[in-house]
Short mmCIF file of all heavy atoms in Angstrom, two decimals:
data_model
loop_
_atom_site.label_atom_id
_atom_site.label_comp_id
_atom_site.label_asym_id
_atom_site.label_seq_id
_atom_site.Cartn_x
_atom_site.Cartn_y
_atom_site.Cartn_z
N GLU A 247 -37.22 7.36 -64.84
CA GLU A 247 -37.93 6.26 -65.49
C GLU A 247 -37.51 6.07 -66.95
O GLU A 247 -38.23 5.44 -67.71
CB GLU A 247 -39.44 6.53 -65.46
CG GLU A 247 -40.02 6.72 -64.09
CD GLU A 247 -40.17 5.41 -63.36
OE1 GLU A 247 -41.03 4.61 -63.76
OE2 GLU A 247 -39.40 5.17 -62.39
N GLY A 248 -36.36 6.61 -67.35
CA GLY A 248 -35.96 6.60 -68.75
C GLY A 248 -36.05 5.24 -69.42
O GLY A 248 -36.59 5.12 -70.51
N ARG A 249 -35.54 4.22 -68.73
CA ARG A 249 -35.54 2.88 -69.34
C ARG A 249 -36.93 2.23 -69.31
O ARG A 249 -37.10 1.14 -69.86
CB ARG A 249 -34.53 1.97 -68.62
CG ARG A 249 -33.11 2.38 -68.85
CD ARG A 249 -32.12 1.42 -68.24
NE ARG A 249 -30.77 1.91 -68.48
CZ ARG A 249 -30.10 1.70 -69.61
NH1 ARG A 249 -30.65 0.98 -70.57
NH2 ARG A 249 -28.89 2.19 -69.77
N ASP A 250 -37.86 2.88 -68.65
CA ASP A 250 -39.22 2.33 -68.61
C ASP A 250 -40.21 3.25 -69.33
O ASP A 250 -41.41 3.03 -69.30
CB ASP A 250 -39.65 2.13 -67.15
CG ASP A 250 -40.88 1.24 -67.06
OD1 ASP A 250 -40.83 0.13 -67.65
OD2 ASP A 250 -41.88 1.65 -66.46
N ASN A 251 -39.68 4.25 -69.99
CA ASN A 251 -40.52 5.21 -70.69
C ASN A 251 -41.29 4.54 -71.85
O ASN A 251 -40.68 3.86 -72.68
CB ASN A 251 -39.63 6.34 -71.23
CG ASN A 251 -40.39 7.36 -72.02
OD1 ASN A 251 -40.78 7.11 -73.16
ND2 ASN A 251 -40.64 8.51 -71.42
N GLN A 252 -42.60 4.76 -71.88
CA GLN A 252 -43.43 4.06 -72.86
C GLN A 252 -42.99 4.28 -74.30
O GLN A 252 -42.85 3.33 -75.07
CB GLN A 252 -44.89 4.46 -72.70
CG GLN A 252 -45.80 3.80 -73.73
CD GLN A 252 -47.26 4.18 -73.52
OE1 GLN A 252 -47.82 3.99 -72.44
NE2 GLN A 252 -47.87 4.71 -74.55
N SER A 253 -42.75 5.53 -74.67
CA SER A 253 -42.47 5.75 -76.09
C SER A 253 -41.05 5.30 -76.45
O SER A 253 -40.81 4.79 -77.54
CB SER A 253 -42.76 7.19 -76.50
OG SER A 253 -41.65 8.00 -76.34
N ILE A 254 -40.13 5.42 -75.50
CA ILE A 254 -38.76 4.92 -75.77
C ILE A 254 -38.79 3.40 -75.95
O ILE A 254 -38.17 2.85 -76.87
CB ILE A 254 -37.80 5.33 -74.63
CG1 ILE A 254 -37.59 6.85 -74.65
CG2 ILE A 254 -36.47 4.60 -74.73
CD1 ILE A 254 -36.73 7.39 -73.50
N LEU A 255 -39.53 2.72 -75.11
CA LEU A 255 -39.62 1.26 -75.21
C LEU A 255 -40.32 0.82 -76.49
O LEU A 255 -39.89 -0.10 -77.18
CB LEU A 255 -40.35 0.68 -73.99
CG LEU A 255 -39.56 0.61 -72.69
CD1 LEU A 255 -40.48 0.16 -71.55
CD2 LEU A 255 -38.37 -0.34 -72.82
N ALA A 256 -41.43 1.49 -76.80
CA ALA A 256 -42.18 1.12 -78.01
C ALA A 256 -41.33 1.34 -79.26
O ALA A 256 -41.29 0.50 -80.15
CB ALA A 256 -43.46 1.94 -78.10
N ASP A 257 -40.62 2.47 -79.30
CA ASP A 257 -39.77 2.76 -80.46
C ASP A 257 -38.66 1.71 -80.60
O ASP A 257 -38.37 1.24 -81.71
CB ASP A 257 -39.13 4.14 -80.31
CG ASP A 257 -40.16 5.25 -80.39
OD1 ASP A 257 -41.33 4.97 -80.71
OD2 ASP A 257 -39.79 6.41 -80.13
N ALA A 258 -38.03 1.36 -79.48
CA ALA A 258 -36.94 0.38 -79.54
C ALA A 258 -37.48 -0.99 -79.94
O ALA A 258 -36.83 -1.73 -80.69
CB ALA A 258 -36.24 0.29 -78.18
N PHE A 259 -38.67 -1.30 -79.48
CA PHE A 259 -39.26 -2.59 -79.86
C PHE A 259 -39.48 -2.66 -81.37
O PHE A 259 -39.13 -3.63 -82.04
CB PHE A 259 -40.56 -2.84 -79.11
CG PHE A 259 -41.12 -4.19 -79.38
CD1 PHE A 259 -40.66 -5.29 -78.69
CD2 PHE A 259 -42.07 -4.38 -80.38
CE1 PHE A 259 -41.14 -6.57 -78.97
CE2 PHE A 259 -42.55 -5.65 -80.67
CZ PHE A 259 -42.09 -6.74 -79.96
N GLU A 260 -40.06 -1.60 -81.91
CA GLU A 260 -40.27 -1.55 -83.37
C GLU A 260 -38.93 -1.67 -84.10
O GLU A 260 -38.81 -2.39 -85.10
CB GLU A 260 -40.96 -0.24 -83.78
CG GLU A 260 -42.41 -0.16 -83.32
CD GLU A 260 -43.10 1.12 -83.77
OE1 GLU A 260 -42.42 2.17 -83.87
OE2 GLU A 260 -44.31 1.07 -83.99
N ALA A 261 -37.93 -0.98 -83.60
CA ALA A 261 -36.62 -0.97 -84.26
C ALA A 261 -35.99 -2.37 -84.23
O ALA A 261 -35.35 -2.80 -85.20
CB ALA A 261 -35.71 0.04 -83.59
N ILE A 262 -36.19 -3.09 -83.13
CA ILE A 262 -35.65 -4.45 -83.02
C ILE A 262 -36.29 -5.36 -84.08
O ILE A 262 -35.62 -6.18 -84.71
CB ILE A 262 -35.91 -4.99 -81.58
CG1 ILE A 262 -34.82 -4.53 -80.64
CG2 ILE A 262 -36.05 -6.49 -81.56
CD1 ILE A 262 -33.49 -5.27 -80.80
N VAL A 263 -37.58 -5.20 -84.29
CA VAL A 263 -38.27 -5.98 -85.32
C VAL A 263 -37.71 -5.63 -86.70
O VAL A 263 -37.46 -6.50 -87.54
CB VAL A 263 -39.80 -5.77 -85.26
CG1 VAL A 263 -40.50 -6.49 -86.40
CG2 VAL A 263 -40.36 -6.25 -83.93
N GLY A 264 -37.44 -4.35 -86.91
CA GLY A 264 -36.83 -3.91 -88.18
C GLY A 264 -35.45 -4.51 -88.37
O GLY A 264 -35.09 -4.96 -89.47
N ALA A 265 -34.65 -4.54 -87.31
CA ALA A 265 -33.29 -5.09 -87.39
C ALA A 265 -33.32 -6.58 -87.69
O ALA A 265 -32.57 -7.09 -88.52
CB ALA A 265 -32.55 -4.82 -86.09
N LEU A 266 -34.22 -7.28 -87.02
CA LEU A 266 -34.36 -8.72 -87.23
C LEU A 266 -34.73 -9.01 -88.69
O LEU A 266 -34.20 -9.93 -89.31
CB LEU A 266 -35.45 -9.24 -86.28
CG LEU A 266 -35.58 -10.73 -86.04
CD1 LEU A 266 -34.29 -11.34 -85.55
CD2 LEU A 266 -36.70 -10.99 -85.01
N TYR A 267 -35.61 -8.21 -89.22
CA TYR A 267 -36.01 -8.37 -90.62
C TYR A 267 -34.82 -8.16 -91.55
O TYR A 267 -34.57 -8.96 -92.45
CB TYR A 267 -37.11 -7.35 -90.95
CG TYR A 267 -37.44 -7.22 -92.41
CD1 TYR A 267 -38.15 -8.21 -93.07
CD2 TYR A 267 -37.03 -6.10 -93.14
CE1 TYR A 267 -38.45 -8.09 -94.42
CE2 TYR A 267 -37.34 -5.97 -94.48
CZ TYR A 267 -38.05 -6.97 -95.12
OH TYR A 267 -38.33 -6.85 -96.45
N LEU A 268 -34.07 -7.11 -91.34
CA LEU A 268 -32.96 -6.82 -92.24
C LEU A 268 -31.86 -7.87 -92.11
O LEU A 268 -31.23 -8.24 -93.09
CB LEU A 268 -32.39 -5.43 -91.98
CG LEU A 268 -33.26 -4.25 -92.40
CD1 LEU A 268 -32.57 -2.93 -92.08
CD2 LEU A 268 -33.59 -4.29 -93.90
N GLU A 269 -31.61 -8.35 -90.88
CA GLU A 269 -30.53 -9.33 -90.73
C GLU A 269 -30.97 -10.74 -91.12
O GLU A 269 -30.21 -11.49 -91.71
CB GLU A 269 -30.00 -9.34 -89.29
CG GLU A 269 -28.59 -9.93 -89.21
CD GLU A 269 -28.39 -10.92 -88.06
OE1 GLU A 269 -29.36 -11.36 -87.43
OE2 GLU A 269 -27.24 -11.29 -87.83
N GLN A 270 -32.21 -11.12 -90.76
CA GLN A 270 -32.58 -12.52 -90.93
C GLN A 270 -33.76 -12.77 -91.86
O GLN A 270 -34.13 -13.92 -92.07
CB GLN A 270 -32.88 -13.14 -89.56
CG GLN A 270 -31.72 -12.99 -88.61
CD GLN A 270 -31.77 -14.00 -87.47
OE1 GLN A 270 -32.61 -14.88 -87.44
NE2 GLN A 270 -30.86 -13.83 -86.53
N GLY A 271 -34.38 -11.70 -92.36
CA GLY A 271 -35.45 -11.89 -93.33
C GLY A 271 -36.84 -11.85 -92.75
O GLY A 271 -37.03 -11.82 -91.53
N TYR A 272 -37.78 -11.88 -93.64
CA TYR A 272 -39.17 -11.69 -93.26
C TYR A 272 -39.69 -12.80 -92.35
O TYR A 272 -40.37 -12.54 -91.37
CB TYR A 272 -40.04 -11.59 -94.53
CG TYR A 272 -41.49 -11.39 -94.22
CD1 TYR A 272 -41.91 -10.20 -93.64
CD2 TYR A 272 -42.43 -12.37 -94.49
CE1 TYR A 272 -43.25 -10.00 -93.33
CE2 TYR A 272 -43.77 -12.18 -94.19
CZ TYR A 272 -44.17 -11.00 -93.61
OH TYR A 272 -45.49 -10.81 -93.31
N GLU A 273 -39.36 -14.05 -92.67
CA GLU A 273 -39.90 -15.15 -91.86
C GLU A 273 -39.45 -15.08 -90.41
O GLU A 273 -40.21 -15.35 -89.50
CB GLU A 273 -39.52 -16.52 -92.46
CG GLU A 273 -40.32 -16.88 -93.70
CD GLU A 273 -41.83 -16.74 -93.52
OE1 GLU A 273 -42.34 -17.07 -92.44
OE2 GLU A 273 -42.48 -16.27 -94.47
N ALA A 274 -38.18 -14.70 -90.22
CA ALA A 274 -37.67 -14.59 -88.85
C ALA A 274 -38.39 -13.50 -88.08
O ALA A 274 -38.75 -13.68 -86.91
CB ALA A 274 -36.16 -14.31 -88.89
N ALA A 275 -38.62 -12.38 -88.73
CA ALA A 275 -39.33 -11.28 -88.06
C ALA A 275 -40.76 -11.71 -87.73
O ALA A 275 -41.27 -11.46 -86.65
CB ALA A 275 -39.33 -10.04 -88.95
N ARG A 276 -41.38 -12.41 -88.67
CA ARG A 276 -42.76 -12.83 -88.46
C ARG A 276 -42.84 -13.84 -87.31
O ARG A 276 -43.72 -13.77 -86.46
CB ARG A 276 -43.32 -13.44 -89.74
CG ARG A 276 -44.77 -13.79 -89.60
CD ARG A 276 -45.47 -13.96 -90.92
NE ARG A 276 -45.08 -15.16 -91.62
CZ ARG A 276 -45.80 -15.71 -92.60
NH1 ARG A 276 -46.90 -15.12 -93.01
NH2 ARG A 276 -45.40 -16.79 -93.20
#
Side-chain angles (χ1 to χ4, degrees):
Chain A
E247 302 284 291
R249 292 184 181 277
D250 195 53
N251 178 285
Q252 178 178 305
S253 90
I254 291 176
L255 283 174
D257 292 352
F259 185 83
E260 290 182 328
I262 275 285
V263 175
L266 194 56
Y267 169 74
L268 289 180
E269 201 225 12
Q270 304 201 6
Y272 180 67
E273 285 309 321
R276 184 161 72 161

